[in-house]
Amino acid sequence: MITKKDLAELIFPDVNETIEDLEKRYPERNLENGAFVTRFAPSPTGFLHTGSLFTAMIASKCAKDTNGIFYLRLEDTDTKREIEGSANKLVEQLHEFNIDINEGFLGDSFKGIYGPYVQSERKNIYRTVIKDMILKDLAYPDFASEEELQKLREEQTARKEITGYYGKYALYRGLSDEEAYNRIKNGDPYVIRFKSKGNHENKIKVKDEIRGELLLTENDQDIVILKSDGLPTYHFAHVCDDHFMRTNLVTRGEEWLPSLPIHIDIFRSLGFKPPKYAHLPVIMKMDEGKRRKLSKRKDSEASVDYFLEKGYEPYSLLVYLMTIANSNYEDFLVSQKDYSLDHFKFSLKKMSLDGALFDNEKLNFYAKEILSRMNKEEIAKKSYEWAKKYDQNLVNFIEKDYSKYEEILNIEREKKNPRKDYAKYSDIYEVIKFFDNDEYLKLLNNGFEFNPSIDKNVIKDFLNEYKNYIDLTLDESTWYNKIKECAAKFNFCIDMKAYKADPSGYVGSINDACEIVRIVVTGRKVTPNLFAILKILTKEEVIRRIDLVISRL
Ligand code: GLU
């Protein structure tokens, strides 16, 4: 008589190990009490999505806060959707965000003793477990053809029954070992299915670390665990991996919540202790007054590359994502004046479920804060590194005079309330390009716009005279007094109160006079501190620019 053992041997003749061997090979981890072993388990189907970065950040934070382990496992069993090169790129991108991978797949290498960390290299592990499952009547070969499955679905739909492969609808569940054996010998194609003992009329209690206790419908689907290509399905593979990699907290997107009963069913059937679960909210976006998921196709901010290309300091995106993860992080930022993610005690329980709304303005707010807190050396260095990849104009500018670049970035920086001109490195060049003489000339050729209510001749005369008043060796207030002195000669009112009370008796105010100088040297009405700009430009260059403008007035 054909036994389960014969069947298992026929399917897996080369598998000599048992689950017990695997248990020994991948021992329980020796970590302190309460330490979380978490993972990021991307599929190499594209580049890092903002939602995945969010998930990775939280998994890493949970591990870091508890002196645990955060590892990366590559889930590459869906070969059809795989995009070449994306696995290594994912690791690189995480690296750019300074998310430390303690263990696992690192691109061209790996770290740790719980590997392999790539699912396609773990076939033997899955096969060992499945062989054992066949012996224990927890799995069986299924020969259903596409047509049979299609017919089944139609029948179930017509009867208004739950669709799928379960109970009485599981066509090959009751096949004798002998029949199955013979069909396989005969070369019939098959997959391996899990043999669920569940019943969808029952409910199971499961705790989610964010949502609390949930009452979910028990699984009774005999899901496919090994496909005909010899690769396992996600549902099955990740259960084995999370078990043998000794994961004790699974943080993943809430799109996996509906299949949680399947996973619990497999864990329990195998006698494995399920990990804790935290299903994270999906990041949404407001679109024409409605919330919708951030979409890879429609939203550039759905891809992490977008932020890197734009030159957001990677850390600022993490800070922003943490504010949507735990709303009390914002209070922490305000009260502690500390932007370190490491000092903040993140809590899954405080995770907002409906607050994960992506807001570019808020990101920019934090991004500006973070850039404004860097010293000139740091922002110069980081923006230069960024520019080398993404902005040749800025590179050319920087390489002409690096220390001048630092001084420009330093304008109104080292003070209590530093200026916040830049949210991202790609904002820099536009703001500072007038410092460059060639760029300045281009701006001038496009024409400068002065206040039309001030006579051109007055502007000319004032500028001509102002050349004699420029002394950039003075301190700022003495320099300002000198500009006042000069402006007063041309009937600009230097007392703002008096000017406001009766502007009619004047050409303009001291602010108008300063605006003229500002436009002359920068082409703009709004710029950082004028005195600082003039100092960096040097008196000689300021006079040259004044003469250039006068010649065109
Ligand atoms: N490979 C799955 C995904 O990319 C991972 C889900 C999980 O973290 O368990 O969505």
Side-chain angles (χ1 to χ4, degrees):
M1 209 188 63
I2 297 291
T3 61
K4 294 219 176 296
K5 188 152 187 338
D6 299 323
L7 186 60
E9 286 302 333
L10 178 67
I11 302 175
F12 302 112
D14 53 330
V15 172
N16 303 313
E17 285 195 298
T18 62
I19 291 191
E20 286 66 43
D21 295 322
L22 297 177
E23 294 288 359
K24 273 190 220 129
R25 183 164 353 129
Y26 303 114
E28 290 288 350
R29 291 170 185 266
N30 197 1
L31 294 169
E32 39 184 273
N33 237 346
F36 280 131
V37 179
T38 62
R39 83 293 194 280
F40 177 48
S43 299
T45 52
F47 302 142
L48 197 61
H49 193 257
T50 305
S52 314
L53 177 66
F54 183 67
T55 314
M57 173 185 84
I58 286 168
S60 143
K61 177 78 176 144
C62 290
K64 210 169 189 179
D65 280 357
T66 56
N67 292 329
I69 297 283
F70 167 66
Y71 72 86
L72 195 144
R73 176 174 76 225
L74 198 65
E75 303 207 326
D76 61 343
T77 57
D78 192 349
T79 40
K80 277 187 241 108
R81 291 177 52 227
E82 189 157 341
I83 293 180
E84 230 194 283
S86 63
N88 284 19
K89 180 89 195 271
L90 282 165
V91 173
E92 262 170 47
Q93 286 170 317
L94 282 184
H95 189 71
E96 292 219 43
F97 283 88
N98 255 324
I99 294 189
D100 295 332
I101 304 169
N102 309 127
E103 182 180 308
F105 174 79
L106 299 173
D108 297 328
S109 62
F110 72 90
K111 196 165 135 194
I113 58 157
Y114 290 85
Y117 293 93
V118 178
Q119 285 185 330
S120 58
E121 294 169 19
R122 297 174 64 79
K123 278 190 196 161
N124 279 339
I125 296 174
Y126 310 126
R127 288 158 56 83
T128 303
V129 177
I130 297 175
K131 185 170 187 182
D132 204 76
M133 289 171 81
I134 290 184
L135 291 171
K136 292 179 180 147
D137 200 23
L138 291 172
Y140 61 93
D142 169 48
F143 303 90
S145 64
E146 246 331 294
E147 295 74 47
E148 280 175 296
L149 293 175
Q150 175 64 23
K151 213 170 129 228
L152 201 63
R153 263 192 301 273
E154 285 162 11
E155 211 177 302
Q156 289 163 334
T157 315
R159 289 196 198 156
K160 298 199 164 45
E161 297 230 38
I162 295 173
T163 54
Y165 206 83
Y166 61 98
K168 65 177 185 212
Y169 291 115
L171 305 174
Y172 292 87
R173 180 180 167 122
L175 206 66
S176 72
D177 296 332
E178 183 155 356
E179 275 173 286
Y181 188 94
N182 289 335
R183 289 192 72 144
I184 294 174
K185 272 238 143 192
N186 200 27
D188 288 5
Y190 66 97
V191 295
I192 308 266
R193 286 189 185 263
F194 168 57
K195 196 172 204 175
S196 173
K197 309 275 188 305
N199 179 344
H200 64 248
E201 282 168 8
N202 297 340
K203 295 278 175 207
I204 53 163
K205 267 192 202 159
V206 198
K207 191 172 166 225
D208 180 272
E209 297 302 306
I210 301 173
R211 288 148 223 264
E213 195 141 285
L214 303 171
L215 212 54
L216 304 173
T217 302
E218 190 172 67
N219 174 59
D220 61 358
Q221 297 275 346
D222 286 358
I223 59 133
V224 173
I225 55 178
L226 198 67
K227 300 179 284 182
S228 51
D229 63 4
L231 284 167
T233 54
Y234 165 76
H235 296 311
F236 175 71
H238 94 281
V239 166
C240 288
D241 298 342
D242 281 334
H243 176 71
F244 289 114
M245 292 178 179
R246 308 298 175 184
T247 314
N248 58 15
L249 172 65
V250 167
T251 49
R252 62 181 177 188
E254 67 186 353
E255 68 273 20
W256 294 108
L257 197 54
S259 43
L260 181 58
I262 301 175
H263 309 151
I264 299 279
D265 195 6
I266 302 175
F267 266 108
R268 290 187 180 153
S269 301
L270 283 165
F272 296 164
K273 183 172 180 250
K276 291 186 173 175
Y277 283 95
H279 289 89
L280 307 175
V282 168
I283 298 183
M284 312 282 278
K285 156 171 187 151
M286 277 313 245
D287 187 10
E288 294 176 359
K290 285 202 193 99
R291 273 166 183 261
R292 63 163 174 78
K293 269 193 197 171
L294 210 54
S295 133
K296 266 194 211 176
R297 210 165 30 82
K298 289 193 216 152
D299 309 314
S300 41
E301 66 268 43
S303 157
V304 154
D305 261 345
Y306 164 80
F307 299 101
L308 296 174
E309 279 165 22
K310 286 277 173 202
Y312 278 95
E313 182 51 35
Y315 193 66
S316 60
L317 183 58
L318 294 187
V319 163
Y320 171 63
L321 289 177
M322 189 55 92
T323 68
I324 54 179
N326 266 190
S327 54
N328 56 319
Y329 180 52
E330 286 199 67
D331 303 334
F332 170 87
L333 293 178
V334 174
S335 65
Q336 307 291 310
K337 304 246 179 305
D338 175 357
Y339 273 71
S340 165
L341 285 173
D342 288 345
H343 300 155
F344 173 65
K345 187 95 185 88
F346 167 77
S347 152
L348 285 170
K349 305 239 162 3
K350 291 201 181 114
M351 186 105 194
S352 28
L353 280 177
D354 53 357
L357 200 58
F358 202 87
D359 175 351
N360 265 313
E361 265 176 43
K362 206 155 163 198
L363 164 66
N364 284 340
F365 170 82
Y366 286 113
K368 283 182 178 176
E369 280 290 330
I370 285 169
L371 290 193
S372 78
R373 278 156 200 254
M374 287 181 181
N375 62 25
K376 65 174 179 186
E377 286 84 8
E378 188 178 4
I379 187 169
K381 185 164 169 270
K382 289 192 166 160
S383 55
Y384 184 34
E385 288 308 314
W386 170 83
K388 281 192 230 165
K389 273 188 175 167
Y390 301 106
D391 187 347
Q392 193 53 44
N393 283 334
L394 186 59
V395 170
N396 297 343
F397 185 98
I398 297 172
E399 288 181 349
K400 276 187 193 161
D401 187 342
Y402 192 87
S403 61
K404 180 169 159 189
Y405 179 59
E406 281 187 339
E407 285 322 308
I408 294 170
L409 293 176
N410 207 33
I411 297 175
E412 295 182 75
R413 173 166 298 274
E414 282 160 5
K415 52 194 270 210
K416 193 157 171 269
N417 262 323
R419 272 188 81 88
K420 296 176 183 67
D421 290 306
Y422 322 116
K424 46 195 185 300
Y425 299 132
S426 58
D427 293 338
I428 296 179
Y429 186 64
E430 269 311 299
V431 177
I432 67 166
K433 66 178 182 188
F434 67 82
F435 279 102
D436 179 83
N437 292 348
D438 297 336
E439 283 303 322
Y440 173 79
L441 212 56
K442 280 191 213 159
L443 291 170
L444 181 62
N445 288 340
N446 286 337
F448 288 173
E449 233 177 86
F450 292 97
N451 183 344
S453 66
I454 302 173
D455 189 276
K456 286 243 156 76
N457 288 321
V458 175
I459 296 180
K460 252 192 210 171
D461 294 345
F462 162 67
L463 284 173
N464 250 326
E465 182 65 7
Y466 182 57
K467 288 191 282 181
N468 304 320
Y469 281 78
I470 304 172
D471 184 351
L472 302 173
T473 60
L474 302 170
D475 63 67
E476 188 170 352
S477 72
T478 321
W479 163 81
Y480 187 58
N481 286 338
K482 297 267 285 183
I483 202 169
K484 274 180 169 171
E485 216 179 287
C486 175
K489 281 187 162 179
F490 297 87
N491 198 25
F492 286 97
C493 180
I494 58 170
D495 175 354
M496 283 312 287
K497 249 196 193 154
Y499 181 68
K500 276 189 188 136
D502 178 20
S504 66
Y506 302 97
V507 160
S509 74
I510 177 65
N511 288 355
D512 295 309
C514 287
E515 185 183 278
I516 293 171
V517 178
R518 192 183 295 274
I519 294 176
V520 165
V521 293
T522 70
R524 305 219 174 94
K525 284 190 180 146
V526 184
T527 68
N529 180 287
L530 181 59
F531 179 60
I533 292 174
L534 298 184
K535 273 180 81 154
I536 294 174
L537 280 173
T538 71
K539 177 173 174 179
E540 201 189 349
E541 176 61 15
V542 173
I543 291 177
R544 193 183 74 90
R545 290 187 181 193
I546 289 176
D547 286 337
L548 270 171
V549 172
I550 289 177
S551 71
R552 297 180 183 215
L553 272 171

